[in-house]
Amino acid sequence: MAATAVATAPSVVPCKYKTGRVLGEGTYATVREAVHIESGKRYAVKVISKKLMQGKENMIRNEITVLGQISVGHANILTLTDYFETFNN
């Protein structure tokens, strides 16, 4: 007997950041300034469009994995501090 996958809806978590002005734009993403709501700390946030990346989700997962492994403490690479998913991005 074959097991069937059960689709579950992604959990909705309140956003921890307030985004501001656009710092840069590319084909699939926009980089915006952001402030962590609780700490007031400022960050650059890469906002990737799900619609534009449809079918290429694995590329995003790979980018997150690689940045998570090599970015911490590297002098020439921005550190990946956090990541999260919204309905559209």
Side-chain angles (χ1 to χ4, degrees), residues 8-86:
T8 58
S11 61
V12 177
V13 178
C15 185
K16 301 179 201 176
Y17 302 89
K18 181 175 180 172
T19 57
R21 68 185 175 100
V22 173
L23 301 174
E25 294 183 278
T27 304
Y28 299 107
T30 301
V31 177
R32 302 181 75 95
E33 67 178 14
V35 177
H36 187 263
I37 294 169
E38 290 181 14
S39 71
K41 193 168 180 180
R42 299 169 65 86
Y43 294 95
V45 177
K46 185 175 185 179
V47 181
I48 303 168
S49 168
K50 284 184 179 180
K51 184 177 180 181
L52 295 175
M53 291 301 293
Q54 192 169 6
K56 301 174 188 161
E57 294 84 0
N58 197 41
M59 288 174 51
I60 304 305
R61 288 187 196 93
N62 287 339
E63 181 176 349
I64 291 168
T65 300
V66 169
L67 283 174
Q69 292 173 352
I70 67 168
S71 69
V72 177
H74 195 289
N76 299 314
I77 301 175
L78 292 174
T79 301
L80 175 64
T81 303
D82 193 6
Y83 66 93
F84 58 94
E85 183 175 345
T86 67

